[in-house]
Amino acid sequence: MTDRAYVLFEEEQAARGIKLNDVKAKLKGLRIETPSWGYGDSGTRFKVFQKEGVPRNPFEKFEDAAQVHKLTGLAPSVAIHIPWDKVDDYGKLRSHAEGLGLTIGAINPNLFQDDDYMLGSITNADAAIRRKATDHLLECVDIAKETGSKDLSLWFADGTNYPGQGNIRKRKAWMQEGLGEMYKALAPDMRMLIEYKCFEPAFYHTDLADWGMAYNAALKLGPQAEVLVDTGHHLPGANIEHIVAYLIDEKRLGGFHFNSRKYADDDLIVGSVNPYELFLIFYQILSAANDRDEAIQACVDNIAYMIDQSHNIEAKVPAMLRSVLNVQTQFAKALLVNHDEVEAAANRGDVLGAEHAVRSAFEFDVNPLLRAYREEQGLSVDPMGAYLASSYGKDIAVRGKGGASW
Ligand code: PSV
Ligand code: MN
């Protein structure tokens, strides 16, 4: 049943040149990958609080992820982290995922929790450690082949804490060498998504500190290497949407790790701190999607939207629901931008008019639209309410405490 608020909203948008049927078709295309580690226990360096009902193994993580997808229709794939999600038989994990209506998404190698990697993994001065780290990258390519995953999501903790601790230029060459060996092992339809981060756990220099370094590494590797933007990995004040527009224009934006930050890499629920930033990221993406250049359109179509969060104090499944719903809300708002209006204002030098044309889309209440869209898709109109009213959160309590960390 179409509610009155929707009818009024449709009229209001039509008067601005926005057709809600087109908006709904685009909402249908939004897919957000959730991370297996977002369902496990996690914490800060001060304390990991153990929660009742946390999945005890990768199979149970997929069961929780299936709830998020069932209620929202937004999250059909789950990224896994090796060795946190190491299993004897990846074919079995894949069938389990598929039986739940999910697929296994990006494979994330882990090169930061082994004592050997204290001074670096693929940038370690010790050749034997570099070999071990590179072998893990190759192992992850093999796992991706078994799970049917197309993306390898790469984050390195490598860096130094003090001047002189490492030779920055040699480490740069070792980084490229290790990545190059991995690149050669990729199947033709696989991608390496290279993530950057300016600090932490290394506090003097990070081997891939910013988007420019990740972009340069990707460029040297070849077309199957792209940049991954984690929204928490920038210095305060960085204009992330500018980075996004730039990387799309270079056809090298591979994906996102969405999360919110107030101070550093806080890994809070995306959209909880600065929803306008998330909206502006989508505004840039959607404005590029209108580009006539097919390569730019292909880049936009292949952006992997992923969540990368740790839910330290909040219940994990509703936290993930909140996250994907926040992304959907800002995406829906960005779909209301009239790009012709923005461009016309910019072209006549109307600064306030152009800014208004962007911001006014953000200020609309998209709830009537999202309710109507969900109803049409046979989804729950209020996914969070439906989850809280269900017994799932109570049922999983039988798992007890002490489930998987990450
Ligand atoms: C650490 O900062 C981190 O959050 C990176 O963003 C990775 O993507 C993630 O951990 C998983 O390895
Ligand atoms: Mn990340």
Side-chain angles (χ1 to χ4, degrees):
M1 207 193 67
T2 315
D3 73 25
R4 181 146 174 75
Y6 178 77
V7 174
L8 291 175
F9 188 64
E10 192 172 31
E11 278 170 19
E12 188 181 27
Q13 293 306 315
R16 303 174 59 242
I18 301 292
K19 297 192 189 91
L20 289 195
N21 281 342
D22 295 348
V23 169
K24 286 191 278 189
K26 289 188 180 139
L27 281 173
K28 220 171 153 182
L30 182 65
R31 305 264 178 283
I32 308 156
E33 184 160 305
T34 68
S36 70
W37 55 97
Y39 299 99
D41 275 328
S42 60
T44 65
R45 62 184 137 156
F46 301 104
K47 170 78 179 160
V48 174
F49 294 101
Q50 295 196 323
K51 295 273 179 175
E52 203 157 57
V54 162
R56 293 163 290 189
N57 53 53
F59 294 87
E60 289 182 347
K61 291 179 187 174
F62 274 84
E63 281 156 29
D64 288 2
Q67 287 295 309
V68 176
H69 185 49
K70 187 183 91 183
L71 289 162
T72 64
L74 285 167
S77 64
V78 180
I80 62 170
H81 215 293
I82 308 297
W84 297 336
D85 298 312
K86 205 175 176 97
V87 289
D88 295 336
D89 182 351
Y90 287 97
K92 203 169 147 201
L93 187 63
R94 183 179 181 168
S95 319
H96 179 70
E98 286 168 2
L100 292 162
L102 300 172
T103 57
I104 300 182
I107 307 293
N108 289 247
N110 182 322
L111 291 169
F112 49 89
Q113 284 186 315
D114 187 308
D115 284 346
D116 278 347
Y117 301 143
M118 186 178 78
L119 300 178
S121 65
I122 62 170
T123 67
N124 200 299
D126 181 336
I129 295 177
R130 293 204 299 279
R131 183 68 261 146
K132 172 174 162 171
T134 309
D135 285 344
H136 177 59
L137 294 178
L138 299 176
E139 178 197 0
C140 287
V141 176
D142 287 341
I143 292 172
K145 288 175 183 165
E146 282 183 69
T147 55
S149 301
K150 302 293 172 224
D151 289 339
L152 289 124
S153 191
L154 306 175
W155 175 71
F156 299 91
D158 295 40
T160 60
N161 272 7
Y162 297 98
Q165 182 193 319
N167 181 319
I168 291 177
R169 290 179 52 240
K170 275 192 185 163
R171 293 175 69 106
K172 174 172 174 282
W174 289 325
M175 171 65 72
Q176 202 65 36
E177 199 179 299
L179 292 175
E181 204 175 323
M182 184 183 199
Y183 189 88
K184 283 200 208 108
L186 297 178
D189 59 350
M190 285 181 174
R191 297 190 295 181
M192 273 162 70
L193 304 181
I194 304 176
E195 191 170 347
Y196 55 90
K197 180 173 174 177
C198 50
F199 82 106
E200 196 202 27
F203 293 110
Y204 174 62
H205 107 283
T206 301
D207 289 305
L208 289 172
D210 63 24
W211 71 269
M213 296 182 200
Y215 171 68
N216 188 41
L219 212 56
K220 287 177 174 165
L221 289 167
Q224 286 171 254
E226 296 184 327
V227 179
L228 190 155
V229 176
D230 182 313
T231 47
H233 287 192
H234 306 84
L235 291 169
N239 183 338
I240 299 177
E241 56 271 23
H242 179 188
I243 297 169
V244 168
Y246 191 101
L247 287 172
I248 292 176
D249 206 59
E250 294 296 325
K251 296 131 198 143
R252 290 289 174 143
L253 178 67
F256 286 93
H257 271 177
F258 284 139
N259 49 60
S260 271
R261 57 83 64 79
K262 182 78 178 161
Y263 301 105
D265 185 23
D266 305 338
D267 277 344
L268 299 175
I269 289 175
V270 54
S272 63
V273 176
N274 189 353
Y276 196 49
E277 179 180 74
L278 184 56
F279 164 86
L280 290 175
I281 287 172
F282 279 123
Y283 159 58
Q284 286 301 335
I285 293 169
L286 293 170
S287 117
N290 289 333
D291 201 289
R292 281 204 205 97
D293 184 332
E294 282 178 15
I296 297 222
Q297 281 180 20
C299 174
V300 168
D301 288 345
N302 288 307
I303 295 173
Y305 297 111
M306 302 180 273
I307 305 281
D308 177 13
Q309 291 169 190
S310 48
H311 306 122
N312 302 343
I313 56 171
E314 59 275 58
K316 325 288 174 189
V317 179
M320 204 62 90
L321 276 169
R322 179 78 277 138
S323 306
V324 299
L325 293 171
N326 284 357
V327 174
Q328 185 185 43
T329 298
Q330 297 313 321
F331 180 65
K333 289 184 179 218
L335 287 169
L336 303 180
V337 174
N338 182 327
H339 295 272
D340 293 338
E341 190 188 335
V342 181
E343 200 174 337
N347 288 345
R348 63 174 185 268
D350 180 359
V351 177
L352 289 177
E355 191 274 342
H356 172 79
V358 175
R359 182 183 27 78
S360 57
F362 176 73
E363 287 170 352
F364 285 112
D365 173 6
V366 289
N367 283 312
L369 164 67
L370 292 175
R371 277 200 301 269
Y373 168 74
R374 288 176 189 138
E375 194 165 30
E376 279 173 34
Q377 296 302 312
L379 295 161
S380 167
V381 170
D382 170 16
M384 183 62 89
Y387 177 79
L388 297 175
S390 81
S391 64
Y392 192 80
K394 290 175 207 84
D395 295 345
I396 56 176
V398 295
R399 294 171 182 164
K401 279 192 181 185
S405 289
W406 295 293

